[in-house]
Amino acid sequence: MTAERMWLDWDCALSIVGHDVEVKQTYAAILTSKRRPNLFVDIGANYGTHSLLFLSHNIETLSFEPNPSCHSYLRETCRLNALTPRLEECALGATPGTVELWYPETDTWLGSTDKDAQHDLQQKYLTTVQTVPQKTLDDFLASFVGRNVLVKIDTEGAEYQVLLGASRTLKEIRPCVIFESLGSDDRTKLYGLFVSHSYSVAHLPLFPDEDPHLLGVEQFCESCSSNFVAIPS
């Protein structure tokens, strides 16, 4: 810890188990269940707090983070904890290419490649804009074959685009997907995409040994929650 980044160290330390509590409860339940994954895919890794939880349990982690200002911190935190990350320095979306990433300089976790989210950021913050490489999750399909995969997506409004680029992964690998959906999102499209791949959507926390609280499309669209799980049928 250094004086100049104490604020960030403190925020990360608190968020590891104190932020999105229902997500962390789900992680804890999955890690101690028969469905324990052997690969965690962290899409929108930011400073790597979710990845750290799985790496510290000896689970291989593939972390996607397009913001270069987060990369050195993620790697340094892993080094200090004797952990080895696999970091892909790119955004994920529907197609490969390049995309603009907009983010507030001291609130990088709000960064987004989604146009609507970018407009909202511009109204509230002084934003930095960077052009970053974009790939699809299906570009990494070979890394998933034969694995028990858990996917987490937190991309501040770009979740639908990420899933459009993951059709083969959803069809062939059938991972459980923990995802964020803010109230401003078009949840009908998200729900329809999951249903088209024979997935059900449920509230968190998810406990593998209990029946999940499955949601119909109206329940999903009207839910005040922002974190959900998609379960393959």
Side-chain angles (χ1 to χ4, degrees):
M1 181 180 290
T2 62
E4 63 184 17
R5 76 172 200 190
M6 188 185 307
W7 66 273
L8 178 55
D9 291 332
W10 181 248
D11 276 357
C12 287
L14 290 178
S15 70
I16 284 179
V17 293
H19 182 246
D20 289 337
V21 174
E22 68 278 12
V23 175
K24 307 304 169 54
Q25 289 175 328
T26 300
Y27 290 166
I30 291 175
L31 284 168
T32 56
S33 75
K34 295 179 181 179
R35 299 184 188 179
R36 177 184 171 96
N38 53 30
L39 177 63
F40 176 64
V41 179
D42 188 358
I43 303 172
N46 200 248
Y47 292 112
T49 54
H50 291 249
S51 294
L52 281 166
L53 288 172
F54 285 85
L55 286 168
S56 64
H57 283 82
N58 297 314
I59 291 175
E60 183 181 345
T61 300
L62 177 55
S63 306
F64 292 93
E65 177 51 53
N67 193 329
S69 66
C70 297
H71 298 160
S72 61
Y73 188 93
L74 189 158
R75 288 193 172 97
E76 175 66 6
T77 305
C78 286
R79 186 190 67 79
L80 291 171
N81 288 277
L83 303 172
T84 304
R86 178 183 171 189
L87 174 61
E88 293 291 337
E89 300 177 3
C90 64
L92 290 183
T95 56
T98 59
V99 67
E100 285 190 348
L101 174 70
W102 292 39
Y103 62 95
E105 188 171 347
T106 57
D107 295 294
T108 58
W109 45 87
L110 297 176
S112 182
T113 60
D114 177 74
K115 297 295 185 184
D116 291 335
Q118 290 170 353
H119 175 75
D120 292 341
L121 284 174
Q122 194 175 33
Q123 305 305 308
K124 300 176 183 178
Y125 301 94
L126 180 63
T127 55
T128 298
V129 180
Q130 291 195 358
T131 300
V132 298
Q134 178 170 278
K135 299 181 181 180
T136 72
L137 188 61
D138 285 346
D139 290 334
F140 298 84
L141 185 64
S143 298
F144 308 147
V145 175
R147 310 294 296 275
N148 181 14
V149 181
L150 174 65
V151 174
K152 162 257 178 185
I153 310 175
D154 182 354
T155 52
E156 300 299 319
E159 287 79 10
Y160 181 73
Q161 295 298 316
V162 172
L163 289 164
L164 284 178
S167 58
R168 289 189 63 196
T169 300
L170 296 177
K171 180 180 179 180
E172 298 176 24
I173 307 302
R174 312 297 288 162
C176 187
V177 181
I178 293 171
F179 66 99
E180 182 182 64
S181 177
L182 303 175
S184 57
D185 293 344
D186 186 347
R187 290 184 173 176
T188 304
K189 289 198 307 182
L190 266 176
Y191 192 92
L193 188 149
F194 279 122
V195 169
S196 72
H197 289 286
S198 299
Y199 273 74
S200 299
V201 175
H203 271 309
L204 293 178
L206 174 70
F207 300 103
D209 296 329
E210 300 178 11
D211 291 334
H213 179 194
L214 299 181
L215 301 173
V217 62
E218 290 185 4
Q219 292 175 304
F220 176 56
C221 291
E222 295 171 0
S223 175
C224 294
S225 299
S226 57
N227 293 302
F228 302 87
V229 60
I231 307 165
S233 300

